[in-house]
């Protein structure tokens, strides 16, 4: 995701400088490089979900591929009625979708385990995958696909209602709660909304609000690096803080801020303030890319200077709050390190 986000940023920069034309084949090829991950995200999610739920990896990946097969896509985008054994199938486009494939792989876990119980050991590997495919695929078409469509619609409507009511409030909510959305996987739902917004109207505001939260994590981690006397942890915090500038928050979030608790609180406060600024000025992205120094061209369409200000505020405020706040967890960590020495 980070790699394709960087590529999308490069494409936006090339378009802004008229280095390439949006109608050219060069643009189409570059755009395919940048968009492929998000189009085929059900396959990638199937693989990662399979590891999490204990499902055979290639079976899970094949389920994702089935949903994106040209025949399936053509059926779902056609004007006529789609039926499966005379039962009407709800039309859902599965490219760039998130919720259906996660539910599907979770359900596959139980189908697979049932097959393992009833099929003799000799034939498990032979018959379990096709049985899973034949059972899970219709369930996706009739149940999980519509559920994902409705859930995505509710999530999009909820965000749009809050944003239309007050972009500033939306910025505070997303900017401060984004780390917890990531922890519980809820950010994937917002990513779906963001991708849909870009495809429909050509821009999205959610990604701009994520920027403050991402940079706030970096500011807090670097403040910890500045405060700690533990050389090993200092090096870890510096590395984690700097990687957030490339859109990678996990090392800072899990390895530093959440571990010490207080820096996470400071980052959430700063993220909310920075998000409020981005929301108030209507900052937006024209392509899907996680906010980072390398993807800044994606956010040049509207209020770009204000977007940069929101990042600086989030980063700086998180740094200051963390730097001047007392942290007993950091002292405990340093004392434990001294005792080990």
């Amino acid at each position: 995701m980070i790699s394709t986000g960087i590529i999308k940023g490069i494409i936006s920069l090339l378009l802004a400088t008229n280095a390439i034309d949006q109608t050219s084949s060069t643009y189409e090829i570059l755009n395919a490089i940048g968009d492929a991950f998000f189009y085929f995200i059900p396959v990638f999610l199937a693989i990662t979900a399979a590891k999490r739920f204990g499902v055979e990896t290639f079976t899970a990946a094949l389920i994702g591929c089935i949903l994106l097969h040209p025949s399936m896509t053509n059926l779902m985008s056609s004007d006529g009625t789609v039926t499966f054994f005379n039962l009407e199938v709800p039309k859902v486009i599965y490219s760039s979708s998130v919720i259906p494939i996660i539910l599907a792989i979770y359900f596959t876990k139980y189908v697979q385990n049932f097959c393992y119980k009833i099929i003799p050991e000799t034939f498990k590997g032979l018959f379990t995958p096709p049985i899973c495919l034949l059972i899970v695929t219709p369930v996706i078409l009739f149940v999980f696909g519509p559920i994902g469509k409705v859930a995505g619609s509710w999530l999009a409507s909820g965000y749009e209602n809050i944003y239309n009511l007050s972009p500033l409030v939306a910025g505070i909510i997303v900017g401060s709660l984004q780390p917890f959305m990531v922890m519980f996987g809820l950010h994937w739902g917002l990513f779906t909304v963001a991708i849909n917004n870009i495809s429909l109207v050509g821009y999205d505001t959610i990604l701009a609000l994520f920027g403050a939260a991402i940079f706030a994590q970096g500011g807090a981690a670097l403040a910890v690096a500045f405060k700690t006397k533990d050389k090993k942890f200092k090096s870890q915090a510096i590395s984690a803080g700097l990687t957030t500038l490339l859109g990678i928050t996990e090392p800072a979030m899990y390895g530093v801020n959440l571990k010490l608790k207080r820096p996470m609180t400071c980052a959430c406060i700063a993220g909310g303030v920075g998000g409020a600024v981005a929301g108030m000025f209507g900052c937006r992205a024209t392509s899907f890319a996680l906010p980072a120094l390398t993807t800044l061209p994606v956010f040049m369409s509207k209020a770009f200077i204000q977007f940069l200000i929101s990042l600086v505020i989030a980063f700086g405020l998180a740094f200051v709050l963390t730097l001047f706040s007392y942290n007993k967890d950091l002292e405990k960590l340093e004392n434990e390190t001294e005792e080990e020495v």
Side-chain angles (χ1 to χ4, degrees), residues 26-71:
T26 299
Y27 169 78
E28 294 295 338
I29 294 172
L30 290 174
N31 192 56
I33 297 173
D35 275 351
F37 173 82
F38 302 104
Y39 183 90
F40 293 102
I41 202 169
V43 179
F44 290 97
L45 283 177
I47 294 171
T48 55
K51 295 177 180 178
R52 174 65 179 83
F53 299 138
V55 174
E56 201 281 317
T57 304
F58 287 104
T59 301
L62 185 53
I63 292 173
C65 292
I66 291 170
L67 298 180
L68 300 177
H69 191 278
S71 295

Side-chain angles (χ1 to χ4, degrees), residues 113-332:
N113 291 344
F114 178 75
C115 290
Y116 284 170
K117 289 181 180 178
I118 65 172
I119 299 176
E121 185 71 30
T122 306
F123 301 105
K124 281 183 181 180
L126 179 62
F127 291 109
T128 298
I131 292 174
C132 288
L133 295 176
L134 291 173
I135 293 177
V136 174
T137 301
V139 174
I140 296 173
L141 298 179
F142 287 105
V143 182
F144 297 147
I147 287 177
K149 186 176 181 179
V150 172
S153 176
W154 284 352
L155 189 62
S157 298
Y159 171 76
E160 289 300 327
N161 289 336
I162 295 174
Y163 192 85
N164 291 334
L165 178 66
S166 172
L168 187 146
V169 172
I172 293 174
I173 293 174
V174 174
S176 58
L177 298 182
Q178 187 265 0
F180 304 102
M181 295 179 188
V182 172
M183 291 178 199
F184 293 102
L186 298 177
H187 63 302
W188 288 108
L190 288 179
F191 283 171
T192 304
V193 176
I195 293 170
N196 185 63
N197 289 340
I198 292 170
S199 64
L200 291 179
V201 298
Y203 66 87
D204 171 72
T205 56
I206 298 175
L207 295 171
L209 305 184
F210 266 55
I214 290 173
F215 276 64
Q217 292 293 327
L222 286 178
V224 171
F226 190 85
K227 290 180 67 172
T228 184
K229 300 174 183 177
D230 186 325
K231 292 183 179 180
K232 183 178 179 181
F233 193 57
K234 181 188 289 288
S235 175
Q236 178 183 337
I238 291 175
S239 175
L242 292 178
T243 55
T244 59
L245 302 181
L246 299 177
I248 308 169
T249 59
E250 284 79 5
M253 188 165 67
Y254 294 115
V256 181
N257 299 335
L258 189 61
K259 184 177 184 178
L260 300 178
K261 301 181 184 65
R262 186 61 62 85
M264 176 61 77
T265 302
C266 296
C268 289
I269 294 172
V273 175
V277 174
M280 182 170 58
F281 289 101
C283 302
R284 59 180 62 166
T286 55
S287 297
F288 188 97
L290 289 175
L293 293 180
T294 51
T295 61
L296 289 179
V298 170
F299 300 88
M300 287 183 174
S301 64
K302 180 183 179 182
F304 179 61
I305 299 301
Q306 289 86 340
F307 175 67
L308 294 179
I309 292 173
S310 74
L311 300 182
V312 172
I313 289 176
F315 186 91
L317 183 59
F319 183 90
V320 172
L321 290 177
T322 304
L323 186 64
F324 291 102
S325 63
Y326 171 70
N327 196 315
K328 63 179 181 180
D329 293 299
L330 180 59
E331 287 189 356
K332 182 180 178 181

